Amino acid sequence: KAVMFMQSITSPFLLHLNDGWTIESADKSKCADLRVPGDVHSALLASEQIPNPYWRDTEQSLDWVHELEWTASTDFEFEGDICKRHILTFMSVDCIATVYLNDVEIGRCNSQFKRWEFDTSVALKLGKNALRVTFHSNSEAAADAAARSTIPTPYLSFNNRLAHYNFLRKTQCHAGWDWNIAISPLGFYDDIFLS
C-alpha cells in the first residue's frame, strides 16, 4: 500500500489542496482563515477571536467551539482530464465530517485515524470547483452514540471532562486527561490532495 500511495503522490494529476481554506461557524458568527494542517481553535486563536485555551481556566469558556458545527471551505481550479476517475484524499480528518464538492455530498468521515478517499466523478468539473467540509460537533456525536448504545458504556468523568468520547475514533485526551485540557479540536491534521 505504501508503494501505491507514493506512486499516486507522483501522479501528474496530483493537485495539493492545503491552501486557501476558511472556516465558518454554523451560526455565521465566526469565520477565519484555516491553515492546513490545522484546526478550528488554532484558526480562531490566530485571528484573535478566542483567548489562549491553555491560559489558566479559559478552557471551559470555549466549550461553544466544539459544540458548534463548522464548515471549512476552499476553491480550486481543475484543468485535468475530466473523463478519468479522480480521487479526493484527506490524510486525517478530525473527526465527524461530511464532504461536499460543488454542493454534492461525496463522502462522510468518522475517524481521525484513517485516510479518507472519495471518488469525485459525480461532482468534479473543469475550471473552478468549490470544496466544503462540514465538521459536526464531536461532543454531540459522542452523546448521540452513547444514547443509541444498547450496552451501558461508562467513561471516567473525573478524568474526562467531556462525556462519552470513548464512542469516537478520536484522540481520547481531547476530552480531557490528567495532563490535558478538554477542548475537542476539529480540523485537518495532514495533507489534502486530488489525484
Side-chain angles (χ1 to χ4, degrees), residues 49-69:
Q49 296 184 63
I50 61 169
N52 187 335
Y54 287 90
W55 177 251
R56 297 196 174 176
D57 59 354
T58 306
E59 167 193 354
Q60 292 186 40
S61 71
L62 297 177
D63 278 349
W64 60 270
V65 178
H66 70 78
E67 291 168 354
L68 281 175
E69 194 170 84

Side-chain angles (χ1 to χ4, degrees), residues 122-187:
V122 296
L124 187 66
K125 59 186 181 183
L126 285 174
K128 187 176 180 180
N129 288 266
L131 179 56
R132 199 166 36 96
V133 178
T134 298
F135 292 100
H136 307 286
S137 168
N138 290 323
S139 48
E140 187 176 313
D144 289 348
R148 286 192 318 270
S149 178
T150 57
I151 302 169
T153 307
Y155 71 97
L156 300 177
S157 59
F158 62 86
N159 204 40
N160 299 92
R161 187 172 67 80
L162 303 179
H164 305 299
Y165 272 54
N166 46 355
F167 282 91
L168 300 180
R169 298 290 297 142
K170 176 176 175 54
T171 301
Q172 292 299 291
C173 66
H174 289 175
W177 214 264
D178 54 357
W179 50 266
N180 192 49
I181 65 174
I183 59 173
S184 185
L186 310 114

Side-chain angles (χ1 to χ4, degrees), residues 29-47:
S29 66
K30 300 285 184 187
C31 61
D33 292 335
L34 175 66
R35 292 183 63 179
V36 175
D39 61 75
V40 172
H41 286 83
S42 298
L44 295 173
L45 184 60
S47 62

Side-chain angles (χ1 to χ4, degrees), residues 68-124:
L68 281 175
E69 194 170 84
W70 294 85
T71 298
S73 305
T74 192
D75 294 329
F76 66 92
E77 293 286 331
F78 179 75
E79 302 301 337
D81 186 347
I82 202 70
C83 296
K84 291 188 177 179
R85 183 172 182 243
H86 297 283
I87 302 298
L88 177 64
T89 300
F90 295 87
M91 295 303 291
S92 178
V93 177
D94 187 5
C95 157
I96 309 297
T98 307
V99 180
Y100 301 90
L101 181 59
N102 298 318
D103 294 323
V104 176
E105 182 181 324
I106 62 168
R108 293 181 181 212
C109 308
N110 63 7
S111 174
Q112 174 192 343
F113 309 115
K114 180 177 172 182
R115 179 177 76 197
W116 293 96
E117 296 180 337
F118 302 113
D119 187 342
T120 63
S121 302
V122 296
L124 187 66

